[in-house]
Amino acid sequence: MPGHWRIHRNRLEGHNRLYNDYFADPAVYPDYIFRRTFRMKRDLYFKIVQAVEEHDPWFQQRRNAAVELGLSSLQKVIAAFRMLAYDAAADSLDECLRLGESTIIESMRRFVRAIIEVFGNEYLRAPNEEDTARLLDMNQ
């Protein structure tokens, strides 16, 4: 396309590195480093990824017209998590995740919308009397 830059980022390598670092058995980084890096347990992370994938098909890995695998849901969701957890700029995540800035911004936009629509009624609401009582019991 005239005037359009195409950077071959080797997206599959980015997914494989990410998977081997955090999700393989055994992973390069153990559970406590995953928790420190992503500020949650791995099981919760997978619950969120699954919910986001089911809600928005954009997060599902697909093949393009050349039958090449596209970006994985792990890459797209981790981009949003890293922006939220570390207040990272979109272009700072390109090298480690193998995603372009515009894709990272789109991931963040769709991720936030999916979280609000999927988990909003349960977690993004003001606490009721039952919640307050449960929290007070936990703190005693």
Side-chain angles (χ1 to χ4, degrees), residues 127 129-140:
E129 289 180 27
E130 185 179 307
D131 294 332
T132 305
R134 183 177 45 81
L135 291 170
L136 289 173
D137 287 343
M138 285 174 48
N139 286 326
Q140 287 185 9

Side-chain angles (χ1 to χ4, degrees), residues 96-114:
C96 62
L97 296 176
R98 307 287 184 169
L99 302 175
E101 179 181 7
S102 61
T103 304
I104 293 170
I105 291 170
E106 183 69 9
S107 294
M108 174 63 121
R109 189 178 67 75
R110 287 176 175 264
F111 178 78
V112 170
R113 182 178 295 138

Side-chain angles (χ1 to χ4, degrees), residues 39-49 81:
R39 312 206 186 215
M40 69 182 69
K41 290 184 178 181
R42 194 171 301 182
D43 294 340
L44 177 59
Y45 175 81
F46 280 122
K47 178 182 177 182
I48 293 170
V49 169
F81 270 122

Side-chain angles (χ1 to χ4, degrees), residues 36-100:
R36 186 179 71 198
T37 303
F38 297 105
R39 312 206 186 215
M40 69 182 69
K41 290 184 178 181
R42 194 171 301 182
D43 294 340
L44 177 59
Y45 175 81
F46 280 122
K47 178 182 177 182
I48 293 170
V49 169
Q50 182 180 2
V52 168
E53 276 183 324
E54 289 172 2
H55 181 74
D56 187 348
W58 185 84
F59 284 97
Q60 297 169 2
Q61 187 175 31
R62 295 178 300 242
R63 294 191 180 272
N64 62 16
V67 194
E68 297 172 343
L69 275 177
L71 296 168
S72 72
S73 58
L74 295 178
Q75 289 168 296
K76 294 174 184 176
V77 172
I78 281 184
F81 270 122
R82 287 198 174 167
M83 285 184 72
L84 289 169
Y86 299 114
D87 195 24
D91 61 348
S92 70
L93 302 173
D94 177 22
E95 293 168 355
C96 62
L97 296 176
R98 307 287 184 169
L99 302 175

